[in-house]
Amino acid sequence: MDFHVGGFIGGTDLAQGSRDQWTSSFGFFAAAVGSAVGLGNMWRFSYLTAEKGGAAFVFLYLAFTLAIGIPIMLAELTLGRGSGKSPIGALAHYGGARWKPLGALFVVTGFVILSYYSVIAGWTIRYALEALLVGMPADPGSHFGLISEGGGAFIFHIVFMTLTMAIVAGGVSRGIERVSVIAMPILFFLVCGIAIYASTLENSASGYAYYLNADFRNAFSMDVLVSAAGQAFFSLSLGMGAIMTFASYLGREGNLPRQAVSIASADFGVAFLAGLMVFPIVFALGLQGIMGEGTLGTLFVALPRAFLEMGAAGRVVGSFFFVALVIGALTSALSLFEVVVSAAVDGLGWSRRKAVLLMGVLVMLLGGAAAFSLAILDVMDQVANNLLLLVGGLALSIFAGWVMDDPIGEASSGGGDPKGLPVWRFLLRWVAPPTLVFVLWHSVPSTFANFLALFRG
Ligand code: TRP
């Protein structure tokens, strides 16, 4: 059955038993990098780096990416491709029915993240449109206050979710892949171009100095450690089965360890490049005071101010910057939404269209809370990153390290040299779980306290 209606807007209901597949390995790579590269690399990475004191934070985040991120990435790829099922089914396939609740937790996490992610993405659509059509706002501080909460924020959240739903309704190869193979190269060129432009600014040196000179006195606080761990998971799209879901649409062939390293490198590369655009621009214009406040909104205040002061060039660069953010946000949202949609399609037997429609409306409603309150948005972000993703990652490392029968055989079954894989299994068994327990031990009380503080006003 095929209800294709032209473009990627049309739904594609595949006949039962024939699961959609990526059409090429570049298609899968573009979609996976599209999932990883997003607001996390640009907005969240820059504001956390500013808040947590620069290069020392970047270094810790890189360490988490290498020691724990890449191993869990490979675990997700292996579970997804090996089972050919979305997360709930994949976990049951290798571990039995008692692991299904973990898959359900992934779906819940997907709902939570997508709900507030879509609100922030809505801001970026608004900024991009304004930059293209009318220029930068005259007073970025009060402008952000105006658009970040309330009816306007809600409307742009709905707009963004509608786009996401339209693409996911097209299916994996005809929706997600088709958009990603075009969008990701564009994003990459935009980011490189802006970073090169930033290097030509007078005084950009102080920005590089701030960004790249590590001051390790800051790095050893628990707060910085927890944020670096959470950021590594968020940025790589790990801990809730998003990469697993994408991998479930892979054919048998393909070198998974190499894919894991490539995806993670591209993700870190874009985050690093984002720092190379944001910090020189902000410091060149003497706006580090705003950035140093390190709150959710700083990027949306400091950068427009910088673009405003740059005049005509600023408007062009600013437009490119916000368009890049929109592209990153959209391709990431596709993967978050695919987790939820595939769970309904595979688990409840719904058609893709029905799943997209009902789940999309649910996300629109849940996101309403974040659209009307920045405080709620902030807590949703903390609960998701410092709690849900870390718990998910912990469970995944235990699952692939200890529960699964032959992870090494599965991981290398599509090609590639299995010689290095015992190191992978060692990291999954002995490094990831204790580290994540340690991080959670410190993050749970503060995350919980922030959550409760919401209700005390
Ligand atoms: N990685 C994306 C970003 O950096 C966000 C994202 C997409 C994500 N899918 C995810 C985060 C799954 C966690 C889990 O913006």
Short mmCIF file of all heavy atoms in Angstrom, two decimals, residues 296-345:
data_model
loop_
_atom_site.label_atom_id
_atom_site.label_comp_id
_atom_site.label_asym_id
_atom_site.label_seq_id
_atom_site.Cartn_x
_atom_site.Cartn_y
_atom_site.Cartn_z
N LEU A 296 19.98 30.15 29.82
CA LEU A 296 19.36 29.62 28.61
C LEU A 296 19.33 30.61 27.45
O LEU A 296 19.51 30.24 26.30
CB LEU A 296 17.89 29.34 28.95
CG LEU A 296 17.53 27.98 29.46
CD1 LEU A 296 16.11 28.00 29.93
CD2 LEU A 296 17.71 27.01 28.33
N GLY A 297 19.05 31.87 27.77
CA GLY A 297 18.75 32.82 26.70
C GLY A 297 19.94 33.60 26.18
O GLY A 297 19.81 34.33 25.21
N THR A 298 21.13 33.43 26.78
CA THR A 298 22.23 34.33 26.46
C THR A 298 22.56 34.37 24.96
O THR A 298 22.80 35.43 24.42
CB THR A 298 23.52 33.95 27.20
OG1 THR A 298 23.65 32.55 27.17
CG2 THR A 298 23.48 34.43 28.62
N LEU A 299 22.55 33.21 24.33
CA LEU A 299 22.90 33.17 22.92
C LEU A 299 21.92 33.99 22.09
O LEU A 299 22.28 34.61 21.10
CB LEU A 299 22.89 31.71 22.45
CG LEU A 299 23.52 31.44 21.11
CD1 LEU A 299 25.01 31.67 21.18
CD2 LEU A 299 23.24 30.00 20.70
N PHE A 300 20.68 33.97 22.54
CA PHE A 300 19.62 34.66 21.78
C PHE A 300 19.61 36.15 22.08
O PHE A 300 18.85 36.90 21.50
CB PHE A 300 18.26 34.05 22.10
CG PHE A 300 18.11 32.66 21.57
CD1 PHE A 300 18.39 31.56 22.36
CD2 PHE A 300 17.71 32.45 20.26
CE1 PHE A 300 18.27 30.28 21.86
CE2 PHE A 300 17.58 31.18 19.76
CZ PHE A 300 17.87 30.08 20.56
N VAL A 301 20.44 36.58 23.04
CA VAL A 301 20.54 38.00 23.34
C VAL A 301 21.88 38.54 22.86
O VAL A 301 21.95 39.53 22.13
CB VAL A 301 20.38 38.25 24.86
CG1 VAL A 301 20.56 39.73 25.16
CG2 VAL A 301 19.01 37.77 25.33
N ALA A 302 22.96 37.86 23.23
CA ALA A 302 24.29 38.37 22.90
C ALA A 302 24.54 38.39 21.40
O ALA A 302 25.03 39.38 20.85
CB ALA A 302 25.36 37.53 23.60
N LEU A 303 24.18 37.31 20.70
CA LEU A 303 24.49 37.27 19.27
C LEU A 303 23.69 38.28 18.44
O LEU A 303 24.27 38.98 17.63
CB LEU A 303 24.33 35.86 18.72
CG LEU A 303 25.53 34.94 19.00
CD1 LEU A 303 25.26 33.55 18.48
CD2 LEU A 303 26.81 35.48 18.38
N PRO A 304 22.38 38.39 18.66
CA PRO A 304 21.65 39.41 17.90
C PRO A 304 22.22 40.81 18.16
O PRO A 304 22.31 41.62 17.23
CB PRO A 304 20.22 39.29 18.43
CG PRO A 304 20.10 37.88 18.87
CD PRO A 304 21.45 37.52 19.42
N ARG A 305 22.61 41.09 19.40
CA ARG A 305 23.22 42.38 19.69
C ARG A 305 24.49 42.55 18.85
O ARG A 305 24.70 43.60 18.24
CB ARG A 305 23.53 42.43 21.19
CG ARG A 305 24.43 43.56 21.64
CD ARG A 305 23.70 44.89 21.77
NE ARG A 305 22.65 44.88 22.75
CZ ARG A 305 22.83 45.02 24.08
NH1 ARG A 305 24.02 45.14 24.57
NH2 ARG A 305 21.81 45.02 24.89
N ALA A 306 25.31 41.51 18.80
CA ALA A 306 26.54 41.57 18.01
C ALA A 306 26.21 41.78 16.53
O ALA A 306 26.80 42.64 15.88
CB ALA A 306 27.35 40.28 18.20
N PHE A 307 25.25 41.02 16.01
CA PHE A 307 24.89 41.15 14.60
C PHE A 307 24.36 42.55 14.30
O PHE A 307 24.63 43.13 13.26
CB PHE A 307 23.84 40.10 14.20
CG PHE A 307 24.33 38.69 14.29
CD1 PHE A 307 23.52 37.66 14.78
CD2 PHE A 307 25.62 38.35 13.89
CE1 PHE A 307 23.98 36.35 14.86
CE2 PHE A 307 26.09 37.05 13.96
CZ PHE A 307 25.26 36.05 14.45
N LEU A 308 23.62 43.09 15.25
CA LEU A 308 23.07 44.43 15.10
C LEU A 308 24.20 45.44 14.95
O LEU A 308 24.17 46.31 14.08
CB LEU A 308 22.22 44.76 16.33
CG LEU A 308 21.41 46.06 16.30
CD1 LEU A 308 20.32 45.96 15.25
CD2 LEU A 308 20.77 46.32 17.67
N GLU A 309 25.20 45.32 15.82
CA GLU A 309 26.29 46.30 15.80
C GLU A 309 27.19 46.15 14.59
O GLU A 309 27.93 47.06 14.25
CB GLU A 309 27.09 46.21 17.11
CG GLU A 309 26.26 46.76 18.26
CD GLU A 309 26.95 46.66 19.62
OE1 GLU A 309 28.19 46.48 19.64
OE2 GLU A 309 26.24 46.74 20.63
N MET A 310 27.13 44.99 13.94
CA MET A 310 27.96 44.80 12.75
C MET A 310 27.33 45.41 11.49
O MET A 310 27.92 45.35 10.41
CB MET A 310 28.14 43.31 12.47
CG MET A 310 29.09 42.62 13.40
SD MET A 310 29.04 40.90 12.87
CE MET A 310 29.62 40.12 14.33
N GLY A 311 26.13 45.91 11.61
CA GLY A 311 25.49 46.54 10.46
C GLY A 311 25.08 45.55 9.38
O GLY A 311 24.61 44.45 9.69
N ALA A 312 25.30 45.93 8.13
CA ALA A 312 24.81 45.12 7.00
C ALA A 312 25.40 43.72 7.02
O ALA A 312 24.69 42.73 6.82
CB ALA A 312 25.13 45.81 5.69
N ALA A 313 26.71 43.63 7.26
CA ALA A 313 27.34 42.31 7.30
C ALA A 313 26.69 41.46 8.39
O ALA A 313 26.45 40.26 8.22
CB ALA A 313 28.83 42.44 7.58
N GLY A 314 26.37 42.10 9.50
CA GLY A 314 25.76 41.39 10.61
C GLY A 314 24.42 40.79 10.25
O GLY A 314 24.06 39.70 10.69
N ARG A 315 23.70 41.51 9.40
CA ARG A 315 22.39 40.98 9.03
C ARG A 315 22.53 39.71 8.19
O ARG A 315 21.80 38.73 8.38
CB ARG A 315 21.61 42.03 8.27
CG ARG A 315 20.25 41.52 7.92
CD ARG A 315 19.25 42.61 7.73
NE ARG A 315 18.04 42.04 7.16
CZ ARG A 315 17.13 42.73 6.51
NH1 ARG A 315 17.30 44.03 6.34
NH2 ARG A 315 16.06 42.15 6.02
N VAL A 316 23.50 39.73 7.28
CA VAL A 316 23.72 38.54 6.45
C VAL A 316 24.20 37.37 7.32
O VAL A 316 23.64 36.27 7.30
CB VAL A 316 24.76 38.83 5.34
CG1 VAL A 316 25.07 37.57 4.56
CG2 VAL A 316 24.26 39.94 4.43
N VAL A 317 25.25 37.65 8.12
CA VAL A 317 25.80 36.59 8.96
C VAL A 317 24.74 36.10 9.95
O VAL A 317 24.58 34.89 10.17
CB VAL A 317 27.04 37.09 9.72
CG1 VAL A 317 27.57 36.01 10.64
CG2 VAL A 317 28.12 37.52 8.75
N GLY A 318 23.98 37.04 10.48
CA GLY A 318 22.94 36.67 11.44
C GLY A 318 21.87 35.78 10.79
O GLY A 318 21.42 34.80 11.38
N SER A 319 21.49 36.13 9.58
CA SER A 319 20.49 35.30 8.89
C SER A 319 21.03 33.88 8.70
O SER A 319 20.34 32.90 8.98
CB SER A 319 20.15 35.88 7.52
OG SER A 319 19.71 37.21 7.64
N PHE A 320 22.27 33.81 8.21
CA PHE A 320 22.87 32.49 8.00
C PHE A 320 22.92 31.71 9.32
O PHE A 320 22.63 30.52 9.37
CB PHE A 320 24.30 32.62 7.45
CG PHE A 320 24.35 33.01 6.00
CD1 PHE A 320 25.53 33.44 5.41
CD2 PHE A 320 23.21 32.92 5.21
CE1 PHE A 320 25.58 33.79 4.07
CE2 PHE A 320 23.24 33.27 3.86
CZ PHE A 320 24.43 33.71 3.30
N PHE A 321 23.31 32.40 10.37
CA PHE A 321 23.44 31.72 11.66
C PHE A 321 22.11 31.12 12.10
O PHE A 321 22.04 29.95 12.48
CB PHE A 321 23.95 32.71 12.72
CG PHE A 321 24.08 32.10 14.08
CD1 PHE A 321 25.20 31.34 14.40
CD2 PHE A 321 23.09 32.25 15.05
CE1 PHE A 321 25.33 30.76 15.65
CE2 PHE A 321 23.22 31.67 16.29
CZ PHE A 321 24.35 30.92 16.60
N PHE A 322 21.05 31.90 12.03
CA PHE A 322 19.78 31.37 12.52
C PHE A 322 19.19 30.34 11.57
O PHE A 322 18.52 29.40 12.01
CB PHE A 322 18.80 32.52 12.82
CG PHE A 322 19.18 33.23 14.09
CD1 PHE A 322 19.66 34.52 14.07
CD2 PHE A 322 19.09 32.58 15.32
CE1 PHE A 322 20.05 35.17 15.24
CE2 PHE A 322 19.47 33.21 16.49
CZ PHE A 322 19.96 34.51 16.46
N VAL A 323 19.47 30.47 10.28
CA VAL A 323 19.03 29.42 9.36
C VAL A 323 19.75 28.10 9.70
O VAL A 323 19.15 27.03 9.73
CB VAL A 323 19.29 29.83 7.88
CG1 VAL A 323 19.12 28.64 6.96
CG2 VAL A 323 18.34 30.96 7.48
N ALA A 324 21.05 28.21 10.01
CA ALA A 324 21.79 27.01 10.40
C ALA A 324 21.18 26.38 11.66
O ALA A 324 21.04 25.16 11.76
CB ALA A 324 23.27 27.34 10.64
N LEU A 325 20.79 27.22 12.61
CA LEU A 325 20.17 26.69 13.82
C LEU A 325 18.86 25.97 13.50
O LEU A 325 18.57 24.90 14.04
CB LEU A 325 19.88 27.82 14.81
CG LEU A 325 20.99 28.27 15.75
CD1 LEU A 325 20.48 29.39 16.66
CD2 LEU A 325 21.47 27.12 16.61
N VAL A 326 18.06 26.56 12.62
CA VAL A 326 16.79 25.93 12.27
C VAL A 326 17.03 24.56 11.62
O VAL A 326 16.38 23.57 11.96
CB VAL A 326 15.96 26.83 11.31
CG1 VAL A 326 14.75 26.07 10.78
CG2 VAL A 326 15.53 28.10 12.01
N ILE A 327 18.00 24.51 10.70
CA ILE A 327 18.30 23.23 10.02
C ILE A 327 18.73 22.18 11.05
O ILE A 327 18.25 21.05 11.05
CB ILE A 327 19.42 23.42 8.98
CG1 ILE A 327 18.94 24.32 7.84
CG2 ILE A 327 19.86 22.07 8.43
CD1 ILE A 327 20.02 24.62 6.81
N GLY A 328 19.63 22.58 11.94
CA GLY A 328 20.10 21.65 12.96
C GLY A 328 18.96 21.17 13.84
O GLY A 328 18.84 19.97 14.12
N ALA A 329 18.12 22.08 14.25
CA ALA A 329 17.01 21.72 15.13
C ALA A 329 16.05 20.76 14.43
O ALA A 329 15.59 19.77 15.01
CB ALA A 329 16.27 22.98 15.59
N LEU A 330 15.77 21.04 13.17
CA LEU A 330 14.79 20.24 12.45
C LEU A 330 15.27 18.79 12.27
O LEU A 330 14.55 17.84 12.57
CB LEU A 330 14.47 20.88 11.10
CG LEU A 330 13.34 20.25 10.32
CD1 LEU A 330 12.02 20.34 11.10
CD2 LEU A 330 13.15 20.94 8.97
N THR A 331 16.50 18.63 11.80
CA THR A 331 16.98 17.26 11.58
C THR A 331 17.12 16.50 12.90
O THR A 331 17.00 15.28 12.91
CB THR A 331 18.33 17.26 10.83
OG1 THR A 331 19.25 18.12 11.51
CG2 THR A 331 18.16 17.71 9.40
N SER A 332 17.36 17.21 14.00
CA SER A 332 17.41 16.53 15.30
C SER A 332 16.02 16.12 15.76
O SER A 332 15.81 15.02 16.28
CB SER A 332 18.03 17.44 16.36
OG SER A 332 19.38 17.69 16.06
N ALA A 333 15.07 17.01 15.55
CA ALA A 333 13.70 16.71 15.97
C ALA A 333 13.16 15.49 15.24
O ALA A 333 12.37 14.71 15.79
CB ALA A 333 12.80 17.92 15.73
N LEU A 334 13.60 15.28 14.00
CA LEU A 334 13.14 14.11 13.24
C LEU A 334 13.45 12.83 14.00
O LEU A 334 12.64 11.92 14.08
CB LEU A 334 13.81 14.06 11.86
CG LEU A 334 13.56 15.25 10.93
CD1 LEU A 334 14.28 15.04 9.61
CD2 LEU A 334 12.06 15.44 10.70
N SER A 335 14.66 12.77 14.58
CA SER A 335 15.04 11.53 15.27
C SER A 335 14.30 11.38 16.60
O SER A 335 13.92 10.28 16.98
CB SER A 335 16.56 11.48 15.50
OG SER A 335 16.94 12.30 16.58
N LEU A 336 14.11 12.49 17.30
CA LEU A 336 13.35 12.41 18.55
C LEU A 336 11.94 11.91 18.27
O LEU A 336 11.40 11.05 18.96
CB LEU A 336 13.29 13.79 19.20
CG LEU A 336 14.59 14.30 19.83
CD1 LEU A 336 14.55 15.80 20.04
CD2 LEU A 336 14.86 13.59 21.15
N PHE A 337 11.35 12.45 17.21
CA PHE A 337 9.97 12.10 16.90
C PHE A 337 9.87 10.67 16.35
O PHE A 337 8.92 9.96 16.62
CB PHE A 337 9.40 13.12 15.90
CG PHE A 337 7.90 13.10 15.81
CD1 PHE A 337 7.12 12.95 16.95
CD2 PHE A 337 7.27 13.26 14.59
CE1 PHE A 337 5.73 12.94 16.87
CE2 PHE A 337 5.88 13.25 14.50
CZ PHE A 337 5.11 13.09 15.64
N GLU A 338 10.90 10.26 15.60
CA GLU A 338 10.86 8.90 15.04
C GLU A 338 10.84 7.84 16.14
O GLU A 338 10.25 6.77 15.98
CB GLU A 338 12.04 8.69 14.08
CG GLU A 338 12.09 7.33 13.39
CD GLU A 338 10.88 7.02 12.49
OE1 GLU A 338 10.26 7.96 11.96
OE2 GLU A 338 10.56 5.82 12.34
N VAL A 339 11.49 8.13 17.27
CA VAL A 339 11.46 7.17 18.39
C VAL A 339 10.02 6.97 18.85
O VAL A 339 9.55 5.83 19.03
CB VAL A 339 12.32 7.68 19.57
CG1 VAL A 339 12.12 6.80 20.80
CG2 VAL A 339 13.80 7.70 19.18
N VAL A 340 9.31 8.08 19.02
CA VAL A 340 7.94 8.00 19.50
C VAL A 340 7.04 7.35 18.43
O VAL A 340 6.23 6.46 18.73
CB VAL A 340 7.43 9.44 19.81
CG1 VAL A 340 5.97 9.44 20.15
CG2 VAL A 340 8.27 10.05 20.93
N VAL A 341 7.20 7.78 17.19
CA VAL A 341 6.34 7.29 16.11
C VAL A 341 6.58 5.79 15.85
O VAL A 341 5.64 5.01 15.72
CB VAL A 341 6.57 8.11 14.82
CG1 VAL A 341 5.92 7.44 13.62
CG2 VAL A 341 6.03 9.52 15.00
N SER A 342 7.86 5.39 15.82
CA SER A 342 8.13 3.98 15.52
C SER A 342 7.62 3.08 16.64
O SER A 342 7.21 1.94 16.40
CB SER A 342 9.63 3.75 15.28
OG SER A 342 10.35 3.91 16.49
N ALA A 343 7.64 3.59 17.87
CA ALA A 343 7.09 2.80 18.97
C ALA A 343 5.61 2.53 18.76
O ALA A 343 5.11 1.43 18.99
CB ALA A 343 7.32 3.50 20.31
N ALA A 344 4.88 3.55 18.29
CA ALA A 344 3.45 3.37 18.06
C ALA A 344 3.18 2.50 16.83
O ALA A 344 2.27 1.67 16.83
CB ALA A 344 2.77 4.73 17.89
N VAL A 345 4.01 2.66 15.80
CA VAL A 345 3.81 1.87 14.58
C VAL A 345 4.12 0.39 14.85
O VAL A 345 3.32 -0.49 14.55
CB VAL A 345 4.70 2.40 13.43
CG1 VAL A 345 4.68 1.44 12.24
CG2 VAL A 345 4.24 3.79 13.00
#
